């Protein structure tokens, strides 16, 4: 029996470095990303009969923003081929402030991503260093501004 409506979570299990406080599963072997995407494609097809449609899609991690736009496009092609994604679905992706730019945000939007989770644990540089984060507070502010310029942060009904 197919589930009528469900949320799809895709875990991207790669990080350039490990933050001391984090217990999410991730590895630093970013050279495995292409193989991981192939495996994701195969798994999408494998489970395609289980679900009728998804009304939310969430790319978490790990660090999804380590993926190139081309790699994200491959993932979205695979899930759109295997599943029906509600045209009004909330599609979220986690990003690390150290990885993204205005152009990256614009390309994300063209893929249908309409919600962001930006990994800013603090705006205090000392705390960010203590936590082992790869960005500083100025970069975090700049990235938030870029995300708004790209059209994120416009609340929907
Ligand atoms: S970047 Fe995020 S997922 Fe990766 S180790 Fe740090 S907190 Fe955890």
């Amino acid at each position: 029996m197919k589930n009528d409506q469900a949320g799809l979570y895709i875990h991207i299990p790669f990080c350039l470095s490990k933050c001391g406080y984090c217990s999410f599963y991730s590895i630093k072997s970013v050279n495995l990303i292409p193989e991981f995407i192939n495996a994701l494609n195969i798994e999408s097809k494998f489970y395609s009969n289980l679900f009728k449609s998804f009304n939310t899609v969430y790319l978490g991690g790990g660090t999804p923003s380590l993926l190139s736009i081309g790699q994200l496009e491959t993932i979205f092609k695979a899930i759109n081929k295997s599943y029906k994604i509600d045209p009004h679905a909330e599609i979220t992706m986690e990003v690390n402030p150290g990885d993204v730019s205005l152009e990256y945000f614009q390309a994300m939007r063209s893929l249908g991503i309409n919600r962001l989770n930006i990994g800013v644990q603090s705006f205090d540089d000392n705390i960010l260093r203590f936590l082992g984060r790869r960005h500083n507070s100025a970069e975090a502010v700049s990235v938030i501004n870029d995300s708004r310029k790209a059209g994120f942060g416009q609340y929907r009904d």
Side-chain angles (χ1 to χ4, degrees), residues 2-144:
K2 284 189 174 190
N3 289 309
D4 277 355
Q5 195 72 270
L8 174 64
Y9 173 77
I10 301 174
H11 189 75
I12 308 293
F14 301 96
C15 291
L16 284 185
S17 54
K18 290 295 289 182
C19 306
Y21 59 88
C22 177
S23 55
F24 288 113
Y25 177 77
S26 68
I27 55 173
K28 293 192 264 180
S29 315
V30 290
N31 58 312
L32 294 177
I33 290 176
E35 267 185 73
F36 170 78
I37 291 174
N38 284 340
L40 201 60
N41 195 1
I42 293 167
E43 194 161 327
S44 293
K45 283 183 203 151
F46 186 77
Y47 288 111
S48 59
N49 286 330
L50 276 183
F51 299 97
K52 200 167 176 186
S53 75
F54 289 113
N55 60 358
T56 64
V57 178
Y58 191 104
L59 272 74
T63 312
S65 54
L66 286 180
L67 303 190
S68 68
I69 292 300
Q71 288 168 330
L72 288 174
E73 195 173 7
T74 303
I75 291 176
F76 277 98
K77 270 188 191 151
I79 61 175
N80 278 304
K81 207 167 162 189
S82 297
Y83 310 108
K84 183 177 178 306
I85 308 294
D86 185 303
H88 303 293
E90 181 182 89
I91 304 178
T92 307
M93 184 171 125
E94 292 178 357
V95 300
N96 187 318
D99 303 331
V100 285
S101 62
L102 176 58
E103 293 71 28
Y104 192 89
F105 283 137
Q106 288 166 334
M108 283 171 66
R109 286 195 68 86
S110 70
L111 291 176
I113 298 166
N114 52 30
R115 183 168 176 264
L116 285 179
N117 181 340
I118 304 178
V120 180
Q121 275 69 19
S122 172
F123 288 99
D124 181 322
D125 283 337
N126 289 324
I127 293 176
L128 289 171
R129 267 192 296 276
F130 173 73
L131 293 174
R133 301 295 293 162
R134 291 191 284 113
H135 63 88
N136 60 32
S137 59
E139 283 170 323
V141 171
S142 162
V143 154
I144 291 167

